[in-house]
Amino acid sequence: MSTSAPEWIPLLVPDMPSPEELLPWLRRMHATHHYSNFGPLVRELEAAFARRFALPQAQLTTVANATQGLELVLQALDLPAGARVLIPAFTFVATATAVLRAGFTPVLADVDAHCWMLTPAIARDACQHMHIDAVLPVATFGMPHGMLEWHQFEKETGLPVVIDAAAAYGSQWLQGAEGTLVFSLHTTKSLPAGEGGLVVSTRPGLAAKVRQLSNFGINLDPAADVPVGALAGVGTNAKMSEYHAAIGLVSLSKWELSAQSRQALQCDLTTALSAAANGRLVWQAQGCDASLMAPTLLCARLPDAQTRATLERLCAEARIMTRRWYQPLLTGMQVLQGRAIELNAHRAIDLGETLLGLPFFPDMALEQRQRIQDVVARACGGQ
Ligand SMILES: Cc1ncc(COP(=O)(O)O)c(C=O)c1O
C-alpha cells in the first residue's frame, strides 16, 4: 500500500467572516442602495474605530488600503518637493513605493537587532548624518511602537512621524501621545476587511485632508475657500466601499476572540519550537511600552544563514510552506537603485539572511504543529 504525501501546510489561512455572517450587513447595504462614497456602513465602522481609539471621528478616516493611506498621508503633510523620508530597509515594498508615489525619496535605514524595527535612536542617528524631512517607521509584523517616544522625537526634531502600522491593528495605539498611524485591513491582517485601510491622526486637519484626497480631492465643505464640488487638491480614488466596510464590521465584532486565539497559538508555537530547537531560535522582541495583541505571522530567526537554508529545505521536503519575509531587502531591489538613498543597514541585512516565516493560522491541527516541530528539531540539531 502506498502512503500518499501529506497535504502542504499553508503559510497563512485568511480568517475571514463567512457568507452567513455577512448576509445581514449586505442586506442592510442593499436596502439603502448605498454601495460606496462614505455610506452608512463605512461611517458605522469609522464610529466604532473612533470609540476604540477614544478620538473624535474627524481624527480618522477609512481608505481603500494601507498603501494608498500612506501615500495620501505623505501628500497631506505638505512636505517640501524632493523631501527625504526615512524608512526601514527591512519592510514590505509598499512602505517604499508609497514614498516614491507621493513624490519623495525614501532613505533606507537600519533596524534594531532585537525588535527588528526602525527606532527613535536609529532615526536620531540618521538625522545627524543627513537631512531628513519625515520619518516612516514600520510596526514590523504588527509589533507596536512606543508612541510617547516617537512623539518626543517629533517635538525634538520638528519632523513628522507616520507609523506604517499595516499589520498592527489592535496592537498599535496612540498610548496617550499624539501621532499618526496607518493600518491595513487586508485579508491577511488582524482585522480583515478583504481590502481596506485606516488612517488615525491627532495632527490637526490631517485625517480630513486624507479623506478629501481619497475622494479625488473634491471639496465637500461649504465653508472652504473653493466651491463645493471643486478640486481642493490632486487626489485619487481611495475610498473604502460599503462591501469592505461590511466585512470590517463583522471582523471587528469578533476581533477580541480572534486576537486571543492568535495570541494563544503564538505562545504555544514559540514555546514548542524553542524547545524543539534547543533554544537556538530567536523571536522578535516586544516593542516599547506595548505588546503584540493579535499576531498574524510567525517568524523565527535562525542562528545563521546555513541553518536557515537547512530548515527551508527540510520544510519543503515535509511539505511545509515557508517565506523569506521582506526578501530581497529594499537595499537589494533593482527598481529602487538610484531612487532611494541607502544608509548602513548591516543589522537589517543580517536579519534578512537568518529569518524564516513559518506557518501561522487559526485552527492549526496537532499533526501540522508536530510536523513543523519535527523539522525544526532536525534543522537546529535539537534531537
Ligand atoms: C509594512 C506594510 N506596509 C504596507 C502594507 C500595504 O498594505 P495594503 O495591502 O493594505 O495596501 C503592508 C501589507 O502587507 C505591509 O506589510
Side-chain angles (χ1 to χ4, degrees), residues 63-255:
V63 278
N65 52 63
T67 306
Q68 283 179 302
L70 289 166
E71 281 176 39
L72 297 183
V73 166
L74 291 168
Q75 185 180 348
L77 282 173
D78 287 328
L79 298 171
R84 291 172 176 176
V85 182
L86 193 70
I87 66 171
F90 184 76
T91 182
F92 183 56
V93 291
T95 318
T97 60
V99 174
L100 285 163
R101 291 176 59 85
F104 306 125
T105 302
V107 179
L108 311 180
D110 211 350
V111 293
D112 178 81
H114 306 290
C115 69
W116 310 345
M117 304 207 281
L118 166 57
T119 60
I122 294 171
R124 274 191 194 94
D125 190 49
C127 291
Q128 277 177 1
H129 289 92
M130 68 157 50
H131 178 82
I132 298 290
D133 296 284
V135 183
L136 184 47
V138 175
T140 307
F141 304 135
M143 188 62 76
H145 283 268
M147 292 308 291
L148 288 165
E149 259 200 278
W150 276 118
H151 184 49
Q152 181 58 35
F153 174 91
E154 278 190 323
K155 284 197 291 191
E156 232 174 78
T157 60
L159 302 183
V161 173
V162 177
I163 309 284
D164 176 347
Y169 179 80
S171 302
Q172 182 70 71
W173 301 97
L174 287 169
Q175 303 154 349
E178 289 174 28
T180 301
L181 313 171
V182 180
F183 298 97
S184 170
L185 309 186
H186 185 261
T187 308
T188 52
K189 301 296 188 288
S190 86
L191 181 71
E195 292 277 4
L198 170 67
V199 173
V200 176
S201 182
T202 57
R203 207 168 254 273
L206 188 90
K209 197 158 173 196
V210 170
R211 192 177 187 81
Q212 187 175 67
L213 289 170
S214 77
N215 188 31
F216 313 99
I218 295 173
N219 173 47
L220 296 176
D221 176 5
D225 297 343
V226 291
V228 168
L231 276 185
V234 181
T236 186
N237 182 1
K239 299 185 299 296
M240 178 184 272
S241 80
E242 291 286 278
Y243 288 92
H244 293 96
I247 306 173
L249 282 159
V250 178
S251 293
L252 196 60
S253 70
K254 309 194 296 183
W255 188 83

Side-chain angles (χ1 to χ4, degrees), residues 25-26 28-29 32 34-44 240-249:
W25 297 93
L26 296 181
R28 260 181 66 183
M29 175 187 76
T32 66
H34 218 129
Y35 303 98
S36 187
N37 292 23
F38 308 115
L41 298 187
V42 160
R43 289 202 300 273
E44 188 166 331
M240 178 184 272
S241 80
E242 291 286 278
Y243 288 92
H244 293 96
I247 306 173
L249 282 159

Side-chain angles (χ1 to χ4, degrees), residues 242-328:
E242 291 286 278
Y243 288 92
H244 293 96
I247 306 173
L249 282 159
V250 178
S251 293
L252 196 60
S253 70
K254 309 194 296 183
W255 188 83
E256 274 78 12
L257 272 182
S258 147
Q260 277 163 22
S261 74
R262 285 169 181 279
Q263 275 178 46
L265 176 65
Q266 187 198 43
C267 183
D268 288 356
L269 286 177
T270 53
T271 307
L273 296 182
S274 287
N278 260 347
R280 296 181 71 218
L281 296 180
V282 173
W283 306 103
Q284 184 179 20
Q286 294 279 326
C288 178
D289 301 329
S291 36
L292 182 56
M293 300 303 289
T296 54
L297 295 176
L298 188 71
C299 239
R301 189 163 188 186
L302 283 303
D304 48 54
Q306 204 187 333
T307 316
R308 197 242 326 242
T310 306
L311 179 57
E312 256 177 337
R313 180 177 50 78
L314 292 176
C315 281
E317 285 168 13
R319 297 165 79 84
I320 298 167
M321 288 192 150
T322 59
R323 174 82 50 89
R324 291 184 177 188
W325 287 110
Y326 305 157
Q327 295 300 298

